[in-house]
Amino acid sequence: PLLFAGLTPMESEVAQMIKEGKTSKEIASSLRMSVHTVYFHRENIRKKLDLTRTATNLKNYLQTRS
């Protein structure tokens, strides 16, 4: 979708899973990465969607945008 336009393929995959309601631990397990790596991708997604200085919940933001 257009929402994921500026994201890397991995960030898009993580964003899609967040949108589906998966936890960071579930995402890490299914993508075979550490939870810290998921946190890293989440932070990059927040930066690229310009959510770094807001209290906006990432999951809610992704679910309401498409």
Side-chain angles (χ1 to χ4, degrees), residues 23-65:
T23 65
S24 292
K25 193 172 180 180
E26 291 169 334
I27 294 169
S29 177
S30 65
L31 296 178
R32 292 183 169 82
M33 61 175 64
S34 79
V35 175
H36 293 287
T37 305
V38 175
Y39 292 149
F40 174 79
H41 287 305
R42 288 179 81 111
E43 194 56 40
N44 286 341
I45 292 165
R46 288 184 65 80
K47 284 178 192 170
K48 290 179 180 181
L49 297 178
D50 201 27
L51 298 174
T52 51
R53 295 212 166 104
T54 67
T56 307
N57 181 287
L58 184 57
K59 182 177 86 170
N60 292 342
Y61 179 87
L62 292 172
Q63 289 175 340
T64 57
R65 291 295 183 276

Side-chain angles (χ1 to χ4, degrees), residues 9-23:
M10 183 56 71
E11 288 167 351
S12 294
E13 197 167 349
V14 171
Q16 184 60 43
M17 295 176 97
I18 292 168
K19 185 178 170 187
E20 292 167 5
K22 294 195 183 337
T23 65

